[in-house]
């Protein structure tokens, strides 16, 4: 007779929708233990920043395993062990208008379409491909958000210059981000519990699985029964310590009345029309967006999320940095100005560090941290702000998902961007061997694991 076994993802189900994750038990071990490859990542996060970088102020120094962070990367010092710096990747698949084509290619590995009826992507983006794989059964297939989006020529509307995600469907439709932080908060966390629901939650969730526990315990060995008892005891203690009885609580909601999420609707092509209050609120709104992203993952609302820090034009100012011209001005419209750009890009990396730290400090439902089983990608649509070149792209990865090896600087001269994207998919368990425009994809990029 086959030995009784449990899947490692098994849960203890009770009345209604109550389900309790089980600890690791001996009956979950494979029948033939073997040295296995690292488990695929359970989550994917993509973060986009406009403008590329000042490469000489971004690139680390040293060697792969003994490197020193540059001035732009310095904010990552506290989370350096969780980061993989990747340079040398060439986005050869890009073809089309300089800003539009770079953003379209960033997560799709395809050229921009040029037919009048469609100037978007030739394929799906990595995040939308992974949404089908990683977010199956969750409330949201994916969560797309943006801060100070739709500036300049986009005029607050969906345009090839402000879309990062493209659906994994035959038509590869543009997936616009959510813009209003208050509405996002309400959609994710803001449904108040009814009195009946609150009363149900006030009861111990362990009571709902009592009978199932008794049935399972009879089939376990002594060691497994002891582990299960300890697990349920710790859950009971946790319940008693909870003051606010809520299943999923969102982050504190700051006053964002000074922030207009649709300010782009009033934008002009050159960025002459400024919205000082909205620009000044970018840091607090960005922090809120990051906090909501983390909690959406922690609450298992989704396993895939993206955040855009503006669009490719970045026609907004940076008053908290003492910079009162827009990003495009510093990139090339007012002449290439690397000093203010370095200040801007350094600030973006403080936000990257904050996100990585929050993921590392937030527990997942399986007892690990969110970062342990997540792949986080940070990138821009170009490398050089003035020339809009797409060679030697400045990328960062973070997390431990899929066996990603961090605390390294990986230099990959002339590597294909398509190969890099394929590797991201493989880290998350997608077994495909090509992605994006086939002629630019020769196989996964080595060295990530």
């Amino acid at each position: 007779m086959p030995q009784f076994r449990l899947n490692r993802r098994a849960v203890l189900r009770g009345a209604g929708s109550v389900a309790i994750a089980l600890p690791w038990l001996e009956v979950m071990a494979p029948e033939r233990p073997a040295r296995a490859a690292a488990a695929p990542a359970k989550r994917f996060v993509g973060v986009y920043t406009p403008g590329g970088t000042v490469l000489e102020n971004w690139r680390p120094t040293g060697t792969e395993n003994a490197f020193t962070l540059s001035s732009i990367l310095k904010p990552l010092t506290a989370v350096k062990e969780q980061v993989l710096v990747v340079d040398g990747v060439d986005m050869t698949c890009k073809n089309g208008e300089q800003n539009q084509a770079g953003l379209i290619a960033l997560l799709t590995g395809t050229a921009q379409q040029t037919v009048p009826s469609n100037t978007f992507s030739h394929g799906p983006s990595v995040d939308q491909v992974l949404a089908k794989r990683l977010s199956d059964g969750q409330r949201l297939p994916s969560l797309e958000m943006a801060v100070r989006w739709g500036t300049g020529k986009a005029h607050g509307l969906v345009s090839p210059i402000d879309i990062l995600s493209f659906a994994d469907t035959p038509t590869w439709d543009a997936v616009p981000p959510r813009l209003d932080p208050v509405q996002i908060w309400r959609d994710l966390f803001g449904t108040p519990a009814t009195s009946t629901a609150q009363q149900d939650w006030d009861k111990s969730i362990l009571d709902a699985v009592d009978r199932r526990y008794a049935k399972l315990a009879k089939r376990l060995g002594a060691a497994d029964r002891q582990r299960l008892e300890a697990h349920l005891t710790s859950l009971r203690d946790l319940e008693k310590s909870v003051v606010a009885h809520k299943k999923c609580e969102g982050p504190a909601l700051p006053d964002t009345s000074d922030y207009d999420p649709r300010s782009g609707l009033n934008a002009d092509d050159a960025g002459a029309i400024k919205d000082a209050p909205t620009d000044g609120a970018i840091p607090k709104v960005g922090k809120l967006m990051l906090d909501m992203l983390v909690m959406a993952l922690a609450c298992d609302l989704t396993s895939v999320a993206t955040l855009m820090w503006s669009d490719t034009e970045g026609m907004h100012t940076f008053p908290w940095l003492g910079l009162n011209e827009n990003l495009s001005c510093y990139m090339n419209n007012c002449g290439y100005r690397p000093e203010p750009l370095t200040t801007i890009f350094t600030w973006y990396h403080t936000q990257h560090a904050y996100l990585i730290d929050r993921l590392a400090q937030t527990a997942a439902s399986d007892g690990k941290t969110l970062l342990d089983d997540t792949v986080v990608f940070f990138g821009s649509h170009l490398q050089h702000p003035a020339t809009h070149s797409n060679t030697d792209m400045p990328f960062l990865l973070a997390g431990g998902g899929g066996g990603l090896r961090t605390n390294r600087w990986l230099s990959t001269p002339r590597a294909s961007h398509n190969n890099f994207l394929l590797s991201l998919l493989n880290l998350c368990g997608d077994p495909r061997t090509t992605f994006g425009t086939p002629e630019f994809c020769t196989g996964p990029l080595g060295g990530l694991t």
Side-chain angles (χ1 to χ4, degrees):
M1 179 180 294
Q3 183 181 355
F4 170 66
R5 312 207 70 76
L6 279 176
N7 186 284
R8 64 185 178 85
R9 295 182 178 178
V11 297
L12 203 58
R13 297 193 180 278
S17 60
V18 174
I20 296 177
L22 295 174
W24 184 88
L25 303 172
E26 289 178 359
V27 294
M28 295 176 179
E31 293 190 33
R32 293 176 184 163
R35 179 177 294 180
K42 296 180 178 179
R43 304 170 203 87
F44 175 80
V45 176
V47 178
Y48 164 78
T49 53
T53 196
V54 180
L55 199 60
E56 63 271 23
N57 295 337
W58 176 89
R59 199 191 304 274
T61 57
T63 63
E64 176 179 338
N65 295 300
F67 64 98
T68 300
L69 294 172
S70 61
S71 60
I72 288 178
L73 296 180
K74 201 71 172 178
L76 298 169
T77 299
V79 295
K80 181 184 175 186
E81 292 186 358
Q82 311 298 332
V83 171
L84 175 63
V85 182
V86 182
D87 68 3
V89 175
D90 290 350
M91 192 188 284
T92 48
C93 62
K94 169 200 169 185
N95 188 29
E97 192 278 333
Q98 54 188 10
N99 277 328
Q100 300 176 21
L103 185 62
I104 288 169
L106 183 60
L107 289 182
T108 71
T110 70
Q112 180 182 15
Q113 295 203 48
T114 57
V115 295
S117 60
N118 188 348
T119 56
F120 288 93
S121 173
H122 269 101
S125 54
V126 164
D127 59 306
Q128 295 304 296
V129 171
L130 291 176
K132 290 183 176 180
R133 169 174 288 272
L134 302 179
S135 298
D136 185 32
Q138 293 175 306
R139 190 201 300 181
L140 299 174
S142 59
L143 175 63
E144 297 79 29
M145 299 186 291
V147 181
R148 199 60 174 93
W149 180 88
T151 65
K153 297 183 184 68
H155 301 294
L157 303 175
V158 171
S159 162
I161 62 178
D162 59 20
I163 292 296
L164 177 68
S165 299
F166 296 90
D168 188 12
T169 63
T171 52
W172 313 308
D173 298 323
V175 181
R178 302 184 188 209
L179 307 178
D180 188 336
V182 175
Q183 189 59 52
I184 295 171
W185 195 99
R186 289 172 178 165
D187 290 344
L188 296 178
F189 315 108
T191 303
T194 64
S195 58
T196 301
Q198 184 65 57
Q199 291 169 5
D200 289 342
W201 178 240
D202 286 340
K203 299 175 183 177
S204 170
I205 60 173
L206 300 183
D207 294 339
V209 298
D210 228 17
R211 293 182 181 178
R212 296 294 180 91
Y213 158 71
K215 185 176 180 180
L216 175 61
K218 291 179 181 179
R219 307 186 70 182
L220 299 177
D224 276 349
R225 280 200 302 272
Q226 188 174 1
R227 289 188 186 94
L228 186 57
E229 284 284 1
H231 179 64
L232 297 183
T233 297
S234 66
L235 285 178
R236 180 82 72 179
D237 292 341
L238 179 62
E239 284 183 330
K240 292 177 181 178
S241 68
V242 174
V243 177
H245 298 293
K246 295 182 180 179
K247 292 183 180 179
C248 186
E249 189 169 318
L253 188 60
D255 179 9
T256 59
S257 58
D258 53 347
Y259 179 80
D260 180 3
R262 304 197 178 279
S263 180
L265 292 170
N266 302 316
D268 66 300
D269 288 0
I273 299 175
K274 298 181 180 180
D275 184 346
T278 294
D279 291 352
I282 288 174
K284 69 176 176 182
V285 171
K287 179 179 180 297
L288 174 60
M289 293 290 204
L290 293 174
D291 287 339
M292 290 192 291
L293 185 157
V294 170
M295 288 310 300
L297 298 177
C299 297
D300 287 328
L301 302 180
T302 188
S303 292
V304 175
T306 58
L307 175 69
M308 298 182 69
W309 287 96
S310 191
D311 48 74
T312 60
E313 293 200 298
M315 291 287 188
H316 62 79
T317 62
F318 301 80
W320 69 95
L321 298 176
L323 300 174
N324 297 313
E325 299 295 340
N326 60 58
L327 181 65
S328 287
C329 175
Y330 299 127
M331 289 174 63
N332 52 22
N333 287 354
C334 304
Y336 178 51
R337 299 173 63 181
E339 289 187 9
L341 287 172
T342 294
T343 299
I344 293 168
F345 300 147
T346 302
W347 182 80
Y348 281 139
H349 280 82
T350 66
Q351 309 311 299
H352 298 347
Y354 177 77
L355 173 60
I356 294 168
D357 183 63
R358 288 282 287 114
L359 290 170
Q361 298 299 323
T362 303
S365 58
D366 59 4
K368 298 180 181 180
T369 74
L370 288 177
L371 192 63
D372 289 336
D373 291 319
T374 299
V375 170
V376 190
F377 166 68
F378 302 94
S380 188
H381 67 292
L382 49 84
Q383 182 257 99
H384 196 284
T387 66
H388 292 75
S389 64
N390 293 90
T391 58
D392 204 0
M393 296 291 287
F395 291 151
L396 291 175
L397 294 175
L404 182 68
R405 287 194 298 122
T406 54
N407 197 19
R408 293 186 300 137
W409 166 32
L410 181 63
S411 186
T412 59
R414 315 307 300 177
S416 167
H417 178 65
N418 289 70
N419 292 353
F420 176 75
L421 294 179
L422 176 61
S423 293
L424 298 184
L425 290 167
N426 293 166
L427 287 172
C428 297
D430 190 306
R432 72 186 65 202
T433 57
T434 188
F435 183 72
T437 305
E439 66 184 282
F440 299 117
C441 194
T442 57
L445 179 67
L448 298 188
T449 60

